[in-house]
């Protein structure tokens, strides 16, 4: 039987990358931490950590155990919340994590419907990117996360479920007076020599990839992390931008947009939930999100 206290110690060692720092966090001696890790390794029959010049790192077995530890901690938190619900008269609570453009365009419509059906629920919304929100769901600090990924496989973290919601095509946003204004579609290969404004670091990385395939190097005017800011810079004539449809600005003044034609990336939006913690509130919000994206109107810039 694996000792859950030892799993907690392993988690702290992994988080800090050091026996000494983990010991300080746990208020133990480094020797005690080392002994507990050694005992855990004897139980599972294989090393769970390795020492390197960068500190202490997890082995594959260690990663499996820390993921299990996170799941156990989340289940315990869920049990505490359920017991609290049964023994108190406090309102039911739901915590949702979302990326910024999803929180601006998709989530408000869904929550308006949801709160109409569940007026007594206390809602908490956390703004975070998928790489941060997925661990939050796993840890039990959020019930649901609105996430995205680009080309490739969707996220499939241990103990969590992923449900696709919509494909979010990319658009090329240009100043209104640009030579390509009025075009309905543009290929990346046509945009060699343009200066680019990035509203997301991962979009910049993908643009570099597709531009290299088209035979040119991207000229970057700004590497930002906000699509609305990027479009304001496009409006000011700083450059052009590649923007997902959900993140297109609602104010088309001074801008024009053309659909990105293949080859090029596409953003995919979905929802991550904990596999064994999908109660009626989560199920209700999932249902509302599905209805919301099926009726999501195009932004004025996409129809201008």
């Amino acid at each position: 039987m694996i000792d859950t206290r030892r799993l907690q110690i392993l988690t702290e060692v992994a988080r800090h990358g050091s026996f000494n720092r983990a010991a300080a966090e746990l208020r133990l001696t480094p020797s005690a931490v080392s002994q507990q890790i050694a005992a855990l390794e004897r139980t599972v029959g294989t090393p769970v950590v390795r020492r390197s010049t960068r500190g202490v790192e997890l082995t594959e077995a260690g990663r499996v155990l820390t993921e299990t530890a996170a799941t156990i901690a989340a289940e315990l938190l869920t049990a505490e919340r359920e017991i609290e619900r049964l023994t108190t008269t406090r309102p039911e609570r739901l915590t949702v994590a979302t990326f910024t453009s999803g929180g601006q365009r998709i989530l408000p419509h869904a929550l308006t419907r949801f709160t109409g059906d569940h007026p007594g629920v206390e809602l908490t919304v956390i703004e975070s990117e998928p790489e941060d929100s997925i661990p939050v769901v796993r840890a039990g600090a959020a019930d649901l996360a609105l996430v995205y990924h680009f080309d490739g496989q969707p996220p499939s973290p241990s103990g969590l479920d992923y449900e696709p919601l919509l494909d979010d095509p990319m658009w090329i946003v240009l100043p209104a007076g640009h030579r390509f204004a009025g075009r309905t579609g543009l290929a990346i290969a046509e945009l060699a020599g343009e200066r680019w404004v990035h509203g997301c670091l991962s979009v910049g990385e993908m643009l570099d990839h597709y531009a290299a395939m088209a035979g040119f190097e991207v000229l970057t005017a700004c590497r930002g992390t906000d699509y609305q800011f990027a479009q304001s810079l496009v409006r000011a004539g700083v450059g052009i931008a590649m923007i997902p449809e959900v993140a297109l600005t609602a104010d088309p003044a001074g801008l024009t947009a053309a659909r990105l034609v293949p080859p090029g990336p596409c953003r995919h939006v979905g929802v991550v939930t904990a596999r064994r913690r999908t109660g009626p509130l989560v199920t209700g919000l999932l249902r509302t999100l599905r209805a919301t994206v099926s009726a999501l109107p195009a932004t004025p810039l996409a129809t201008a």
Side-chain angles (χ1 to χ4, degrees):
M1 179 71 71
I2 297 174
D3 189 320
T4 56
R5 173 61 173 166
R6 289 170 183 159
L7 291 181
Q8 181 189 7
I9 292 172
L10 177 64
T11 299
E12 291 300 322
V13 170
R15 186 161 71 92
H16 293 284
S18 162
F19 281 6
N20 289 343
R21 289 195 291 272
E25 179 72 20
L26 295 164
R27 298 185 179 180
L28 298 172
T29 65
S31 175
V33 169
S34 180
Q35 290 171 16
Q36 291 296 318
I37 295 299
L40 179 60
E41 290 177 329
R42 287 194 298 272
T43 299
V44 299
T46 188
V48 297
V49 296
R50 67 171 68 91
R51 291 176 174 82
S52 72
T53 55
R54 292 176 293 181
V56 179
E57 298 177 340
L58 293 176
T59 63
E60 286 300 318
R63 275 189 280 275
V64 170
L65 288 174
T66 55
E67 288 180 1
T68 301
T71 301
I72 291 171
E75 292 293 336
L76 289 172
L77 180 59
T78 300
E80 290 176 1
R81 289 177 175 174
E82 181 63 15
I83 291 170
E84 180 183 47
R85 185 186 69 81
L86 293 171
T87 57
T88 68
T89 57
R90 293 183 61 178
E92 292 185 284
R93 291 176 289 180
L94 188 70
T95 300
V96 181
T98 180
F99 59 97
T100 302
S101 55
Q104 292 170 333
R105 183 92 190 285
I106 300 172
L107 193 60
H109 298 289
L111 291 183
T112 298
R113 297 185 186 186
F114 179 81
T115 53
D117 294 334
H118 303 84
V121 174
E122 284 187 357
L123 277 168
T124 300
V125 179
I126 302 169
E127 181 187 0
S128 62
E129 290 295 295
E131 60 267 24
D132 297 317
S133 62
I134 290 174
V136 167
V137 174
R138 179 188 284 120
D143 301 291
L144 175 151
L146 193 61
V147 301
Y148 65 84
H149 71 282
F150 289 96
D151 299 337
Q153 294 297 314
S156 55
S158 174
L160 303 180
D161 288 326
Y162 173 82
E163 178 178 329
L165 279 182
L166 78 159
D167 292 335
D168 190 14
M170 306 299 287
W171 289 69
I172 303 299
V173 178
L174 314 153
H178 194 277
R179 61 193 172 97
F180 287 136
R183 289 279 296 274
T184 57
L186 282 169
I188 286 177
E190 299 180 81
L191 300 168
E194 297 285 345
R195 289 177 61 79
W196 293 81
V197 177
H198 302 319
C200 174
L201 297 180
S202 56
V203 166
E205 294 168 359
M206 284 186 302
L207 179 59
D208 287 339
H209 170 72
Y210 283 99
M213 291 175 58
F216 70 92
E217 185 175 338
V218 175
L219 304 175
T220 301
C222 176
R223 295 187 185 275
T225 57
D226 182 272
Y227 288 121
Q228 300 305 311
F229 173 58
Q231 289 169 96
S232 69
L233 293 183
V234 173
R235 184 181 285 112
V238 175
I240 67 174
M242 185 165 66
I243 306 289
E245 185 170 297
V246 162
L248 290 175
T249 180
D251 179 10
L255 297 173
T256 186
R259 190 82 169 260
L260 177 66
V261 300
C266 179
R267 190 169 76 163
H268 310 278
V269 177
V271 175
V272 167
T273 56
R275 188 161 297 154
R276 293 191 292 171
R277 286 182 276 125
T278 309
L281 291 181
V282 172
T283 301
L285 183 53
L286 274 171
R287 185 168 54 249
T288 305
L289 282 165
R290 293 187 205 108
T292 296
V293 298
S294 66
L296 199 65
T299 64
L301 186 55
T303 57

